[in-house]
Amino acid sequence: MVRANGAVSLRELARVVQTSEVTVRRDVRALEAEGLLDRRHGGAVLPGGFTRESGFPQKSHLATAEKTAIADVAASLVEEGEAIVVGAGTTTQELARRLARVPGLTVVTNSLLVAQALAHANRVEVVMTGGTLRGSNYALVGSGAEQSLQGLRVSRAFLSGSGLTAERGLSTSNMLSASVDRALVQAAAEVVVLADHTKLGTDTMFQTVPTDVITRLVTDEPPPHDERAATELQALADQGVQIAVAGTGQAGAPAGEQLPPGVRGRRDMPLPVQRGGRMPGGQFRGPGPGLGAEPLERTARVADLRRR
């Protein structure tokens, strides 16, 4: 699976081999010792330092439940009549599907998938950048995309990426994608990063959004044993990033602050602040209408992971 996708979460590995994440973590550690892969927070990647970028088909099957929860929370931050930019990615595509219900919304995007998700939303106006199509993630990139964003001003930018660290911020593996993402950030008053826990602590080649520019991070709840992901979240919060963690409870909300529906607060993390905005734009017209209780025998399981 790691060889095919470039990266995979421990949750996904545990689901495939039908055992616990704790057991899979031990096996991943053994495979790392053999130089077959590198461990990352909550997952594993191909060996060799910086992670490479997976194509859209591979990304779309990774951490699907986490992306859905993150998209639900991110959509609750968007207000009626607001103007936003939405970058390319599988998580932002999930967000776009939920934005179709927000009346009077204007969405600027370089993603064909985001535009397609909103194509039939009668009350949402979609503005697409120019640029050259990058087929691996169905995004418009290059100087045409960047120039079309000049002079633009919106309330928020929703971006995803390949990795997120407190030290470097959001990063991606492709130079052209990184350059367009930076242009999207320049157009927004606030920057909201959508990243599941497997991306926390992962560093890739090209920085897109420095930590001090990120207003808010929407992520999922790291597994209880993933102390490094929790530490990364705390480091981001210490640098002023507001953290919204997708969950089912309302615990941890400080007095006088209300968590949006679906956000689980952390006692030591600041909460989001809502703002709005509006901008004119053109219109895009799209096409017409439980984990296994008993672990597997260890050598067989490691061999199975190697084959995947």
Side-chain angles (χ1 to χ4, degrees):
M1 288 179 66
V2 178
R3 186 178 296 109
N5 300 328
V8 68
S9 70
L10 293 181
R11 288 179 182 175
E12 184 67 12
L13 283 174
R15 184 189 65 79
V16 170
V17 301
Q18 298 183 342
T19 188
S20 69
E21 290 184 35
V22 173
T23 304
V24 167
R25 179 174 282 100
R26 290 198 301 265
D27 297 337
V28 168
R29 189 177 296 115
L31 293 173
E32 183 183 42
E34 297 180 29
L36 298 177
L37 51 75
D38 288 343
R39 285 183 297 158
R40 288 292 185 269
H41 307 334
V45 300
L46 290 174
F50 294 109
T51 59
R52 70 174 177 87
E53 184 179 40
S54 303
F56 172 78
Q58 292 78 29
K59 289 181 179 180
S60 63
H61 292 95
L62 293 176
T64 53
E66 291 87 343
K67 291 173 183 176
T68 297
I70 290 169
D72 286 340
V73 172
S76 72
L77 304 175
V78 180
E79 300 174 347
E80 179 178 344
E82 194 170 0
I84 62 175
V85 295
V86 179
T90 53
T91 309
T92 52
Q93 181 188 25
E94 286 296 323
L95 169 62
R97 289 170 177 153
R98 289 149 180 81
L99 295 179
R101 299 188 292 269
V102 182
L105 185 66
T106 300
V107 177
V108 182
T109 185
N110 69 319
S111 169
L112 299 186
L113 298 175
V114 168
Q116 184 182 43
L118 294 168
H120 300 295
N122 294 328
R123 296 180 294 177
V124 177
E125 192 172 36
V126 180
V127 180
M128 293 205 67
T129 69
T132 302
L133 177 63
R134 183 166 179 260
S136 61
N137 65 346
Y138 300 94
L140 297 172
V141 298
S143 60
E146 296 170 38
Q147 290 173 7
S148 67
L149 293 166
Q150 292 180 2
L152 184 71
R153 194 62 174 170
V154 299
S155 57
R156 293 185 183 91
F158 290 86
L159 297 176
S160 188
S162 302
L164 177 65
T165 65
E167 181 179 358
R168 285 186 76 217
L170 189 67
S171 61
T172 188
S173 302
N174 181 266
M175 180 174 62
L176 293 176
S177 296
S179 185
V180 174
D181 281 353
R182 285 192 288 267
L184 291 172
V185 168
Q186 290 295 320
E190 295 184 0
V191 177
V192 181
V193 170
L194 312 182
D196 65 77
H197 75 275
T198 64
K199 297 178 180 179
L200 297 177
T202 298
D203 202 4
T204 51
M205 290 184 66
F206 300 99
Q207 182 192 58
T208 56
V209 189
T211 305
D212 59 359
V213 177
I214 300 173
T215 307
R216 179 182 295 116
L217 166 66
V218 183
T219 187
D220 62 298
E221 183 77 21
H225 52 263
D226 196 346
E227 296 181 0
R228 297 181 68 179
T231 299
E232 198 72 47
L233 280 177
Q234 183 59 60
L236 288 163
D238 290 342
Q239 295 195 39
V241 178
Q242 300 166 9
I243 311 293
V245 182
T248 57
Q250 296 285 327
E257 296 194 58
Q258 180 64 44
L259 283 169
V263 177
R264 178 179 176 183
R266 298 175 68 96
R267 301 180 196 282
D268 53 356
M269 295 180 182
L271 299 173
V273 177
Q274 299 285 346
R275 293 188 178 90
R278 184 70 175 127
M279 61 154 280
Q283 184 176 8
F284 168 80
R285 295 186 179 272
L291 302 178
E294 296 296 328
L296 301 176
E297 196 277 324
R298 188 164 188 276
T299 56
R301 185 176 57 247
V302 172
D304 187 40
L305 286 173
R306 285 199 187 98
R307 287 195 298 272
R308 295 174 186 275

